[in-house]
Amino acid sequence: MVALLVGVLAGLCLLAVALAPALVSQTEVRRAASEALAQSSGREVRILGESNLSLLPYPQVVLRQLVFSMPGAAVLDADRATARIRLLPLLLGKVEVASVTFDRPILIMSGPVTVPHLTLASFVSVPTAPSLRILNGTIAWRDAGGLTQELVSGIDARLDHASGGKGITATADFTWRQTVASGRVMISDAQAFLNGTDSDARLDLSANGSWLKFRGVAAAGDSPAAVGEISADSPDLRALLAWVGTTTPTAGGFGRFAFGAHLSAHAKEIALTPAYIEMDGNRSEGGLSVKLDGERPLVEGTFAADALNITPYGRVSMTGPGGHEWDHRRLDVSPLKKVDLDLRLSAASVRAEDSVFERVASTAVLRGGRLVMAIGEAQAWGGLLRASLTLAPAEVPTDGLAVRVELEGTGVALDRALSDIADVKRIDGTGTLEAALVGHGASIHAIAQSLSGDVSMTGSAGAVLGLDIAQALRHIEQRPLSGGGELRGGRTPFTSLKAKARIDNGTATLESVAVEGKQVKLSLGGSVSVVQRDLDLKGEASLVGPVPAAGQVGRVPFELPFIVQGPWDNAYVMPDAQSLIRRSGAAQPLLEAVRSRGGDAAVRSVIEQMAKPSPLVPTGVKQPN
């Protein structure tokens, strides 16, 4: 009995399939399919090729060579479209399309690349409109010379009605810049959404392990708005930013990233409050807003963190390859003119390599192309730090960037402070640093050439590293002609240090440098070329003898002039040769004999052989025995 019923049903289906072509005309099928295409795509369509109706395995009409009307110079066409037809209405002489599939559609845009203009109004207004599917679609851009470049390829997308016909869901998988991405949008009341009324909405985007989600309500219309929760996550933020065409400001960091906030977005303002940001193991909380009603977007935000570790981001390099000269590459000042900023960050502690800054309160304010970054006050290097950096386009456009630096460190560890600020590792102790510098130029090298301002430093209970001046002076005092003594290695303790320099157009003049210790006094003068990164200094060192007892005459202190010359990362020290000669009475007959044979030139040659320069040993290198 069952077999008989199945056979009867099968026979009726075959009979329906056989009679269907006679119930509707090819013209009616073509017209219904064209209307369905227009409803699903939101664009008028022209069918240039033939149309074929087939009934197995299900009723469908295949249309070839379709062209859609698009605004401007955009062109949208498809090789083929397949409209699936509902069987029961077809048996009743009506053509109802259930779904439309476009095969290999191509959207070609000319001129500036813009978001494709496709409207959903017609699809939303008809709850029974057929669903739309795209297979292997492409979006391309054609330049004025006729060259066409693919922007997005491999597009597989679907648009369906949901929530009983009131809502819509759209899904898409596509390839952009050789990476597969996916997206999904759900709107529970599409008509209300288009009319500017809030509707429940969901958004999901993902690519290569990174994702973005939104859950809330949204509205389109004349005043678009969205309110809800937004979150994002990426295992490698650096790779994600590179994929979208953005470079990071540092060579390190920008790894694991997470973000979450309550979003309130309206036509001219976006607020993300409260919000949190996690990156490279750091977490900060606060709020952010973006205002779009001015000449430029204005980004305002305040964040706080318990502890931040900025070590992964490394140091900002200002030198070229090899690290021995300033970078000559041209600085790009255009980002300063694209947005306005007012950002504030506070942290209980900030770690940068071996340095820890506590109770940090910092700001970054960018207005009209002028950026001011400041640390109001922080506990740094064992003392207090205040600093600011101002960057702005120079008054003369060819001068590139104008820079101003102000810094004040009080009670700081000089070795750590100078190492972090200027990569100088020759001074130990506790003291005060002050600097006020200005410069301008199209590159770091050009800024160094124009650098001007004042620098001062005081210190106590410290040492000059890499030189044992007291030992060298005692050696020279006893044996003046022993080749100038060994100045390398060791340290020269001091009880006080005072230094002041004036910088004009890339050359620093030491106005006063005085170092006093229990064994040595040292004074220094001369110049430092900031541009060439080298030293040309002259000084005088003297041994400090014990304080004579009452009624006794103290010994005359031993004094020795010297010079310091060469690159500041590999300078050498050389004692004054004529002073060595004067200290040695035994050398006088020798010099007289040389002078009688070769004159002053021969004397100078002998002196130079007696006083060979001693290069400074880099700090951190084991001293020779």
Side-chain angles (χ1 to χ4, degrees):
M1 187 68 179
V2 174
L4 179 62
L5 289 175
V6 171
V8 171
L9 290 174
L12 291 175
C13 290
L14 292 174
L15 178 63
V17 169
L19 294 176
L23 298 177
V24 293
S25 65
Q26 290 280 354
T27 303
E28 176 63 17
V29 171
R30 186 183 179 98
R31 182 197 62 78
S34 299
E35 290 181 354
L37 293 176
Q39 286 180 346
S40 299
S41 64
R43 311 304 308 179
E44 293 296 326
V45 60
R46 290 184 298 136
I47 303 173
L48 304 181
E50 60 182 9
S51 59
N52 298 313
L53 175 64
S54 61
L55 301 177
L56 294 176
Y58 45 78
Q60 63 181 5
V61 59
V62 178
L63 308 173
R64 301 186 183 277
Q65 298 182 10
L66 295 86
V67 178
F68 297 83
S69 63
M70 297 293 292
V75 176
L76 174 61
D77 56 37
D79 289 343
R80 185 177 71 172
T82 301
R84 185 171 178 175
I85 300 173
R86 293 185 174 93
L87 178 59
L88 185 58
L90 183 63
L91 296 178
L92 299 177
K94 297 174 60 178
V95 179
E96 292 185 7
V97 179
S99 65
V100 174
T101 300
F102 293 125
D103 289 313
R104 297 183 298 277
I106 300 177
L107 173 62
I108 300 178
M109 298 177 291
S110 300
V113 177
T114 57
V115 177
H117 183 80
L118 297 174
T119 178
L120 296 175
S122 59
F123 180 83
V124 171
S125 61
V126 181
T128 59
S131 61
L132 172 65
R133 188 176 183 187
I134 294 175
L135 298 178
N136 198 21
T138 301
I139 299 175
W141 175 67
R142 179 176 297 160
D143 62 18
L147 180 63
T148 302
Q149 176 184 0
E150 282 191 2
L151 300 179
V152 184
S153 61
I155 302 173
D156 291 336
R158 188 179 184 99
L159 179 64
D160 294 286
H161 281 286
S163 303
K166 292 178 58 179
I168 61 171
T169 61
T171 61
D173 297 320
F174 56 91
T175 299
W176 182 50
R177 294 181 176 176
Q178 300 180 337
T179 297
V180 176
S182 300
R184 177 181 175 86
V185 177
M186 186 282 293
I187 300 174
S188 61
D189 191 336
Q191 191 64 60
F193 172 80
L194 293 178
N195 292 337
T197 302
D198 288 345
S199 172
D200 289 340
R202 298 165 62 98
L203 170 67
D204 294 271
L205 297 174
S206 62
N208 205 23
S210 301
W211 52 261
L212 171 71
K213 295 181 179 180
F214 170 76
R215 302 288 185 269
V217 296
D222 296 332
S223 299
V227 177
E229 303 301 316
I230 187 171
S231 58
D233 190 280
S234 175
D236 189 346
L237 181 60
R238 179 179 296 276
L240 178 62
L241 293 176
W243 178 55
V244 300
T246 301
T247 57
T248 55
T250 63
F254 291 89
R256 185 75 192 182
F257 171 82
F259 170 80
H262 178 76
L263 170 69
S264 179
H266 299 86
K268 297 295 183 179
E269 184 172 355
I270 301 172
L272 297 164
T273 304
Y276 73 86
I277 298 175
E278 295 180 358
M279 186 164 65
D280 299 319
N282 299 311
R283 179 184 174 95
S284 59
E285 299 179 354
L288 190 71
S289 68
V290 181
K291 297 181 180 179
L292 305 173
D293 54 356
E295 182 181 355
R296 290 174 297 274
L298 171 60
V299 180
E300 299 177 309
T302 300
F303 284 88
D306 290 331
L308 296 177
N309 184 1
I310 62 175
T311 302
Y313 309 103
R315 298 187 179 187
V316 178
S317 176
M318 296 188 293
T319 58
H324 298 299
E325 61 179 28
W326 301 115
D327 198 335
H328 287 258
R329 289 177 296 181
R330 186 173 184 84
L331 297 171
D332 183 11
V333 300
S334 60
L336 296 176
K337 302 178 182 179
K338 293 181 178 180
V339 66
D340 288 342
L341 299 174
D342 189 348
L343 302 178
R344 303 174 188 277
L345 172 65
S346 60
S349 68
V350 178
R351 173 174 290 278
E353 296 182 347
D354 295 331
S355 298
V356 177
F357 303 82
E358 298 180 334
R359 296 172 57 187
V360 177
S362 61
T363 61
V365 179
L366 174 60
R367 288 285 192 277
R370 184 174 183 268
L371 173 64
V372 179
M373 295 182 290
I375 298 177
E377 185 173 278
Q379 294 180 354
W381 309 306
L384 294 179
L385 170 68
R386 297 182 182 88
S388 67
L389 171 65
T390 303
L391 305 175
E395 294 182 2
V396 179
T398 55
D399 287 344
L401 188 69
V403 180
R404 182 178 182 85
V405 179
E406 295 182 346
L407 180 145
E408 179 184 357
T410 305
V412 298
L414 295 178
D415 56 336
R416 291 152 53 192
L418 292 175
S419 176
D420 287 345
I421 296 171
D423 200 26
V424 173
K425 303 176 182 179
R426 298 290 181 189
I427 305 294
D428 194 2
T430 302
T432 298
L433 293 172
E434 293 184 357
L437 304 172
V438 296
H440 59 81
S443 65
I444 299 296
H445 182 269
I447 293 173
Q449 284 182 313
S450 67
L451 197 66
S452 300
D454 296 286
V455 177
S456 64
M457 177 175 62
T458 62
S460 62
V464 178
L465 306 179
L467 288 172
D468 189 341
I469 298 177
Q471 179 180 346
L473 288 178
R474 285 192 290 267
H475 179 84
I476 294 173
E477 184 180 26
Q478 297 173 5
R479 301 177 60 190
L481 300 183
S482 60
E486 180 59 65
L487 300 180
R488 297 173 299 173
R491 59 200 306 269
T492 300
F494 61 77
T495 55
S496 68
L497 178 150
K498 296 180 181 180
K500 186 176 182 181
R502 172 66 187 175
I503 304 176
D504 289 303
N505 294 323
T507 299
T509 301
L510 300 187
E511 296 181 349
S512 63
V513 176
V515 180
E516 295 187 5
K518 295 180 179 180
Q519 302 181 64
V520 174
K521 287 186 178 181
L522 184 69
S523 62
L524 197 64
S527 63
V528 178
S529 174
V530 179
V531 181
Q532 301 299 326
R533 298 164 62 89
D534 61 20
L535 309 174
D536 185 10
L537 307 176
K538 294 182 180 181
E540 185 173 271
S542 60
L543 285 172
V544 177
V547 178
Q552 295 183 352
V553 179
R555 58 176 291 185
V556 177
F558 174 63
E559 298 178 348
L560 178 66
F562 64 91
I563 65 172
V564 182
Q565 292 182 336
W568 63 28
D569 55 355
N570 191 28
Y572 63 86
V573 182
M574 185 170 65
D576 180 70
Q578 295 189 21
S579 296
L580 298 179
I581 297 300
R582 288 193 296 269
R583 296 289 305 178
S584 175
Q588 295 298 328
L590 172 62
L591 292 181
E592 291 298 332
V594 172
R595 181 179 290 110
S596 65
R597 292 196 301 269
D600 292 340
V603 173
R604 284 194 298 271
S605 177
V606 173
I607 291 174
E608 290 171 357
Q609 292 297 320
M610 291 180 176
K612 293 181 180 180
S614 298
L616 296 178
V617 174
T619 55
V621 177
K622 185 178 180 180
Q623 310 295 338
N625 295 326

